[in-house]
Amino acid sequence: MKIAHRGPDAFRFENVNDFTNCCFGFHRLAIVDQLYGMQPLRVKKFPFLWLCYNGEIYNHIRLRDHFEFEYQTKVDGEILLHLYDRFGIEKMATLLDGVFAFILLDTANRKVFLGRDTYGVRPLFRLLTDDGFLAVCSEAKGLTQITHSMSTPAKIIPFPPGHFEVFDLKLTGKVVSVQMERFHCCTDEPKHASYNNLKGLGTGFKLETVKSNIRILFENAVKKRLMAHRRIGCLLSGGLDSSLVAATLVKLAKQEELPYPIQTFAIGTDDSPDIVAARKVADFIGSEHHEVSFTPEEGIQAVEEVILHLESYDITTVRASVGMYLISKYIREKTDSVVIFSGEGSDELTQGYIYFHKAPSPKEGADESVRLLKELYLFDVLRADRTTAAHGLELRVPFLDHRFTAYYLSLPEEMRAPKDGVEKHLLRESFKGMKLIPDEILWRRKEAFSDGMTSMKKSWYTSLQEHIESEVNDSQLEKAAKLFPFNPPTTKEGFYFRQVFEKMYPGRCEWTPHYWMPRWIKATDPSARTLSIYKPGPE
């Protein structure tokens, strides 16, 4: 019940017949099949399979038709049952184009399987005691109070993205882990690509070919994500990434004749750079635009709730989550959009952070890009999931499409590096002259989300610092390393976030293995605005 916010439409608890110690609980957010979408998902053909999953499998119809599977429902997740039955767990996982976290129980073979998508867009935590008691949940808060027979507390860990795990199930209901394997790495072309022949893709690395391929694959990434029975909207910060997503979404929604206009949502204070830029984009693409403003006081008040949802004390993550949490709250309360598109993943993929200008070589820049993608599940993807799911919304992130990312990462390192002092040059260049978004936005410099939401004169973040000054004194900060030997905070802000986190999740500091920090520059604070490279434009 601690994660009821993730599925406000219905819930169900179910024990497995003849397996006294196996129990499933599920909170439903109805997006695809309205009739058969309840879980655990079971079909007549496989009475021995029980599936609980959170996600969207975008190629489920393509695979169903290709393998001539007979479906009983219209649920995208039914494809997992058929693929598992025919090919086993590993091939099943490699063929799924989408985002997912699943637990599959096979009572005939006494096996339990866990799996999670390549970037961990959908969350999954697992608790396993030394004597084989297993519990999994979409959020760690659902596992912290579980009692078990062990005297020592059991570790709760985020399940690694791009992996599956196999357990043998004993008659007692206890399990033994027998296999944990990676089924997809972001740099490899996904196996499911061969079942979807995209027209117009060229070969070789000529610039025009590459630009055309980027456009085709990006549009394909947005298009496949239109799968929904509920209204689709889009977060729009006025930056390059969310603007490309919103513009492509509006264009495809018209082509697909969606029966409603696309709503876009921007958050900030009145004169913030993001609000102004987002307004320009919305006017240009013709979306139904909503501007959500919040006062520094509202931001400060939300911090504790945000940390409760995030289960993280990482400074950048908490800071950027406040705006996203408040905008999600607005969407939930004031509109009927439920499926929310967003630009997450682009900065990691296309080297969008300002510090990439300081990369010693294109090779090191490319390696850093892959490192960031592999850690997304701890930072930006975690933020985007928890802040939206807190309000029963479902996030879609086209920049993290398996095929789009694998292609982009296959390009020569020099092509992907910042060029002429502009980060994400290749992505911008690919959409040049396409009239998709205004030129000034196409070439707009990067703002960190928590920075761009506030006016240049005084960021909300400055107000937050002032509040923290009154909450944390110097002597507390001096003792921080003793009090928090793991990831000791070095600023009052870090101390404050950590204090709130420890109050809610005592002893769970390893959920944030390290802080998100820029590379190659001496940084004590992760905000882009405090870096010397950052030059705001003319006022």
Side-chain angles (χ1 to χ4, degrees), residues 292-336:
V292 185
S293 63
F294 71 98
T295 62
E297 293 72 43
E298 286 173 299
I300 290 162
Q301 269 176 340
V303 169
E304 293 208 12
E305 271 172 68
V306 162
I307 293 173
L308 180 69
H309 278 286
L310 289 178
E311 304 166 337
S312 168
Y313 53 89
D314 175 65
I315 297 164
T316 335
T317 304
V318 175
R319 213 185 267 169
S321 293
V322 171
M324 201 157 173
Y325 180 82
L326 293 171
I327 202 167
S328 300
K329 185 175 183 206
Y330 171 91
I331 295 171
R332 172 82 189 168
E333 289 171 359
K334 304 278 196 289
T335 78
D336 56 349

Side-chain angles (χ1 to χ4, degrees), residues 173-192:
K174 296 287 174 81
V175 300
V176 181
S177 176
V178 291
Q179 189 188 5
M180 165 79 103
E181 237 173 277
R182 181 185 281 284
F183 64 84
H184 183 228
C185 175
C186 57
T187 49
D188 301 332
E189 169 149 273
K191 297 267 192 304
H192 55 70

Side-chain angles (χ1 to χ4, degrees), residues 457-529:
K457 299 176 191 70
K458 177 180 173 182
S459 65
W460 90 268
Y461 156 62
T462 318
S463 315
L464 177 65
Q465 300 298 339
E466 287 164 6
H467 170 71
I468 288 165
E469 276 296 330
S470 67
E471 293 281 322
V472 180
N473 63 43
D474 294 352
S475 65
Q476 282 174 291
L477 188 60
E478 281 158 26
K479 299 191 188 96
K482 272 206 183 73
L483 188 58
F484 306 121
F486 184 84
N487 281 341
T490 55
T491 60
K492 287 188 178 178
E493 181 185 21
F495 188 95
Y496 177 66
F497 293 166
R498 180 65 171 269
Q499 221 176 9
V500 173
F501 175 87
E502 291 288 345
K503 186 174 78 184
M504 293 164 175
Y505 303 110
R508 302 289 181 181
C509 55
E510 72 281 357
W511 288 346
T512 303
H514 58 87
Y515 292 109
W516 193 98
M517 273 289 172
R519 303 285 288 260
W520 308 308
I521 43 182
K522 288 190 179 65
T524 50
D525 187 291
S527 168
R529 279 202 184 169

Side-chain angles (χ1 to χ4, degrees), residues 97-117:
D97 182 6
V99 294
F100 53 84
F102 68 78
I103 177 161
L104 175 66
L105 167 65
D106 178 342
T107 55
N109 296 293
R110 309 197 62 89
K111 297 273 190 205
V112 177
F113 303 94
L114 302 180
R116 191 175 181 192
D117 68 76

Side-chain angles (χ1 to χ4, degrees), residues 74-320:
K74 292 193 172 73
V75 184
D76 52 318
E78 185 177 338
I79 194 68
L80 277 80
L81 303 174
H82 295 273
L83 289 173
Y84 167 72
D85 177 67
R86 187 168 300 181
F87 300 119
I89 194 74
E90 180 161 17
K91 187 166 180 185
M92 176 201 99
T94 61
L95 290 180
L96 301 174
D97 182 6
V99 294
F100 53 84
F102 68 78
I103 177 161
L104 175 66
L105 167 65
D106 178 342
T107 55
N109 296 293
R110 309 197 62 89
K111 297 273 190 205
V112 177
F113 303 94
L114 302 180
R116 191 175 181 192
D117 68 76
T118 308
Y119 295 109
V121 174
R122 293 292 181 262
L124 182 64
F125 287 84
R126 99 184 199 341
L127 173 154
L128 182 63
T129 63
D130 298 343
D131 66 348
F133 170 77
L134 172 72
V136 299
C137 192
S138 291
E139 297 182 13
K141 57 179 69 62
L143 301 174
T144 50
Q145 306 294 311
I146 286 184
T147 51
H148 47 82
S149 55
M150 302 293 297
S151 51
T152 49
K155 268 203 145 84
I156 296 169
I157 61 156
F159 191 82
H163 285 70
F164 68 87
E165 186 169 16
V166 185
F167 300 88
D168 286 337
L169 179 61
K170 299 181 194 163
L171 288 166
T172 55
K174 296 287 174 81
V175 300
V176 181
S177 176
V178 291
Q179 189 188 5
M180 165 79 103
E181 237 173 277
R182 181 185 281 284
F183 64 84
H184 183 228
C185 175
C186 57
T187 49
D188 301 332
E189 169 149 273
K191 297 267 192 304
H192 55 70
S194 54
Y195 297 90
N196 178 10
N197 191 9
L198 283 177
K199 289 186 186 67
L201 281 182
T203 51
F205 296 129
K206 293 239 293 278
L207 185 60
E208 286 312 308
T209 309
V210 167
K211 282 160 54 176
S212 161
N213 287 350
I214 286 173
R215 289 193 301 269
I216 290 169
L217 287 165
F218 181 67
E219 186 160 312
N220 173 57
V222 175
K223 188 171 184 173
K224 70 177 73 157
R225 282 167 175 74
L226 294 175
M227 178 179 101
H229 284 165
R230 305 284 289 275
R231 184 164 185 172
I232 295 172
C234 189
L235 300 180
L236 178 59
S237 72
L240 174 69
D241 314 320
S242 62
S243 300
L244 286 175
V245 172
T248 307
L249 180 58
V250 169
K251 176 180 143 183
L252 293 173
K254 284 188 187 124
Q255 283 174 19
E256 303 279 313
E257 298 181 339
L258 290 191
Y260 52 81
I262 296 291
Q263 293 177 325
T264 48
F265 304 96
I267 190 156
T269 46
D270 296 337
D271 60 341
S272 69
D274 277 0
I275 282 274
V276 176
R279 198 178 297 156
K280 280 179 191 151
V281 176
D283 286 346
F284 189 89
I285 65 177
S287 61
E288 181 194 302
H289 191 54
H290 297 244
E291 290 180 3
V292 185
S293 63
F294 71 98
T295 62
E297 293 72 43
E298 286 173 299
I300 290 162
Q301 269 176 340
V303 169
E304 293 208 12
E305 271 172 68
V306 162
I307 293 173
L308 180 69
H309 278 286
L310 289 178
E311 304 166 337
S312 168
Y313 53 89
D314 175 65
I315 297 164
T316 335
T317 304
V318 175
R319 213 185 267 169

Side-chain angles (χ1 to χ4, degrees), residues 218 241 244-245 343-346 349 397-401 404-405 427:
F218 181 67
D241 314 320
L244 286 175
V245 172
E344 262 70 40
S346 172
L349 176 67
V397 279
F399 273 106
L400 291 177
D401 183 75
F404 179 71
T405 51
L427 181 64

